[in-house]
Amino acid sequence: MARKNRRGCVPWILGLMLLAVWLDNGEDDWTGAPGVEAEQFDPRSPRRPMPQLPGESFLIEDSGPQQDSQGTAFAIDSDGVWMTAEHVTHDCDRLGIVRDGEVELVGRVLESSEADAALVRDGPRSAIILPIAPDAPENGEYGYHMGFPGGSPAVVLSRFMGAASARRGARGDQYEPIFAWAEEGRSPPSSGSLGGISGGPTLDQAGRVIGINSASTPRRGRVLTTDPSAMLRLVAASRDVDETATPVALPGMQDAVQRFRALVASGVIRQVYCDVQ
């Protein structure tokens, strides 16, 4: 759900202004600046393939190579470790996380090859971090998808439908484990695209990250997120995270909205920009 610039559409209003300033920065500002150093983590092998994936199967449209885009990231370790969606970071020449009204360049990324998850290793430090849930939710449980669709902060409410699988159209025939959710509401209310919410956290009612926002299917009313077990495998492989966080319970949508506003204000959830030259 990263908002792609394939039809001339990029985040607008303040997001557009910030992105334009960053992308159009003078060459002197970036002379000698390193590009994105992306490593790949893949737990699969011919001897240890991933198990057959259950549930529905989704085809996520992906019309071509990466282009300039905007997504969401969230902090999972105070030393500057962040998570986002792999399709947000993939093939970026420059990657930046918003900090104090500016886009701060980051360059060390560990991308999962089994799921839509990526870990940024050199992002801004954060005094508050989010915990990752160790287990899948029960069917019918609520989830709160947080991020910046269209460059504006929003929370999407949904109910968990179950484990499923997805394939990205232009990325081969590899299926990845995902969770499927049925959308029930948004704050603020809207009916537009969720482009830009990709990479943001989905929190369960216990206040834990139960997935990374990956895609949406407007006609079917589904939001797709990364399986948290794949997130935990990526975190363990990185050896970059050595902290735990105490979750804050979110029994209702209003609690989630207030929590989201606090997390944005404290810099735990931020916009991330991908520049392709």
Side-chain angles (χ1 to χ4, degrees):
M1 284 182 290
R3 190 175 179 88
K4 303 298 183 182
N5 189 18
R6 294 185 178 127
R7 297 182 177 84
C9 296
V10 294
W12 45 279
I13 309 178
L14 183 59
L16 174 60
M17 296 171 61
L18 184 59
L19 178 60
V21 169
W22 187 56
L23 297 180
D24 294 335
N25 240 337
E27 291 296 328
D28 290 343
D29 291 343
W30 298 101
T31 300
V36 177
E37 177 186 327
E39 299 179 58
Q40 303 295 319
F41 166 69
D42 193 343
R44 303 163 300 184
S45 71
R47 294 183 179 180
R48 189 183 177 186
M50 295 299 289
Q52 184 69 32
L53 300 172
E56 292 183 272
S57 178
F58 295 86
L59 175 63
I60 300 174
E61 294 184 6
D62 188 351
S63 60
Q66 176 73 291
Q67 297 191 29
D68 297 344
S69 61
Q70 173 259 317
T72 304
F74 57 97
I76 59 171
D77 190 278
S78 64
D79 287 333
V81 183
W82 295 69
M83 290 205 84
T84 186
E86 186 270 348
H87 78 268
V88 170
T89 67
H90 188 73
D91 284 345
C92 297
D93 292 303
R94 294 189 306 178
L95 189 68
I97 294 178
V98 173
R99 180 180 184 181
D100 297 329
E102 298 182 354
V103 183
E104 179 176 302
L105 183 69
V106 296
R108 298 180 58 235
V109 178
L110 180 63
E111 297 177 337
S112 173
S113 296
E114 65 159 317
D116 193 15
L119 188 146
V120 177
R121 293 171 140 163
D122 58 346
R125 295 177 65 88
S126 176
I128 302 172
I129 59 176
L130 294 178
I132 300 174
D135 305 308
E138 298 290 335
N139 284 2
E141 286 189 19
Y142 283 112
Y144 309 104
H145 311 276
M146 301 178 175
F148 299 92
S152 300
V155 178
V156 178
L157 172 68
S158 68
R159 280 188 182 270
F160 182 59
M161 297 190 63
S165 62
R167 178 171 63 88
R168 296 189 183 274
R171 301 279 289 276
D173 58 1
Q174 177 66 53
Y175 280 85
E176 61 188 56
I178 55 99
F179 282 175
W181 305 76
E183 181 180 337
E184 292 201 352
R186 302 182 185 185
S187 180
S190 70
S191 59
S193 167
L194 292 178
I197 204 172
S198 280
T202 296
L203 301 187
D204 62 11
Q205 289 186 284
R208 307 167 303 176
V209 179
I210 199 67
I212 299 171
N213 303 328
S214 180
S216 64
T217 59
R219 284 182 294 180
R220 297 170 69 178
R222 302 288 185 266
V223 180
L224 308 180
T225 65
T226 303
D227 185 327
S229 64
M231 298 167 59
L232 290 172
R233 284 191 287 272
L234 181 65
V235 168
S238 75
R239 300 184 179 180
D240 291 319
V241 179
D242 56 10
E243 297 176 85
T244 57
T246 301
V248 176
L250 305 172
M253 181 62 164
Q254 190 57 42
D255 303 287
V257 171
Q258 292 176 357
R259 177 65 170 160
F260 175 58
R261 290 172 179 168
L263 292 172
V264 171
S266 58
V268 183
I269 300 176
R270 305 188 188 207
Q271 290 176 280
V272 57
Y273 289 124
C274 168
D275 178 25
V276 178
Q277 298 176 337

